[in-house]
Amino acid sequence: MSKTRKLTLTSIIIAITTLTSNIVFIPVGFAKIFPVQHMANVLTAVLLGPVYSVAQSFIVSLLRNMNGTGSIFAFPGSMIGAFLAGYLFFKTKKLIWAFIGEVTGTGIFGALAAYPIATLLLGNKVALFGFVPSFIISSLGGAIIGIVFIKILFKNKIIGGIMNENSSYNRRL
C-alpha cells in the first residue's frame, strides 16, 4: 500500500475515532472508558503497522485532550498498546497477537506507566481500584470490537481494495 493511501486511511481512522469518542464512552466515576480508541489502535495496527498505529493514537489522544474528552493518562497507555498491537501482529501475522498487544500494552503496561501520576492526582485507593480496572476494561472491550470488526471486513472482502489481495494478511485472516 502506498504512503498516500496509508496516511489517508490513518486520517480517516483518526477522524472517526475523535468524533465518536465524544459520544461513545462509558462513565465510571471519575474515569471514562473509551473502547473506540482501543478499537482504532487494533484496526490501525493490523492494517497499517506499529508506526501508523502509534501516530494515530497520539493524535487522537491529543485531539481528545484539546476538546476536553480525553485524559492525560491516555497518552502513555494508548501509545504503548498501539505499538505492541502493531509490532506483535506484524511479527506473527495473527490477530490474536494484535489483541494481546493492545490489552497488555494499554491495560497493563499503560496503566502501570500512568499509575504514579494517577496516584498523585487522584489518591492511592481511587487510582488502584478505579483507574487501573478502567484501563483494563477499556482496552479489553475495544480490542474485542476491533478484532471482530477486522474479521468482518476481511470476510466480506471490504479490505481487499485497501490492502493487496495477494498479501499474507488476507491469506492468514
Side-chain angles (χ1 to χ4, degrees):
M1 184 183 325
S2 73
K3 285 187 179 184
T4 304
R5 285 183 133 186
K6 286 183 175 184
L7 288 172
T8 303
L9 186 55
T10 304
S11 299
I12 291 168
I13 292 170
I14 289 168
I16 292 169
T17 305
T18 304
L19 292 172
T20 56
S21 345
N22 294 330
I23 302 164
V24 183
F25 64 88
I26 304 162
V28 182
F30 69 91
K32 293 176 183 173
I33 295 174
F34 288 99
V36 173
Q37 173 64 59
H38 305 292
M39 179 192 76
N41 287 355
V42 171
L43 190 63
T44 312
V46 170
L47 297 177
L48 303 170
V51 172
Y52 289 92
S53 188
V54 170
Q56 171 273 137
S57 181
F58 176 79
I59 292 169
V60 168
S61 294
L62 184 65
L63 291 171
R64 283 183 38 222
N65 279 321
M66 287 172 30
N67 73 13
T69 62
S71 166
I72 59 168
F73 308 121
F75 276 98
S78 192
M79 286 188 290
I80 293 168
F83 174 76
L84 274 180
Y87 179 78
L88 292 175
F89 176 77
F90 273 85
K91 284 292 185 184
T92 64
K93 306 294 188 261
K94 294 184 181 185
L95 283 176
I96 188 68
W97 285 103
F99 172 84
I100 290 169
E102 176 61 26
V103 173
T104 304
T106 302
I108 298 170
F109 296 137
L112 292 175
Y115 182 77
I117 298 169
T119 302
L120 289 172
L121 297 176
L122 306 170
N124 195 25
K125 286 185 181 179
V126 173
L128 183 61
F129 297 112
F131 172 74
V132 172
S134 69
F135 254 63
I136 293 169
I137 292 167
S138 186
S139 63
L140 184 64
I144 290 170
I145 295 166
I147 296 298
V148 169
F149 189 60
I150 289 167
K151 284 190 175 238
I152 290 169
L153 291 174
F154 275 100
K155 184 177 180 183
N156 294 319
K157 302 197 187 290
I158 294 169
I159 296 295
I162 297 171
M163 297 184 76
N164 182 355
E165 293 276 347
N166 298 322
S167 74
S168 61
Y169 315 118
N170 287 340
R171 286 194 300 270
R172 292 183 180 220
L173 297 174

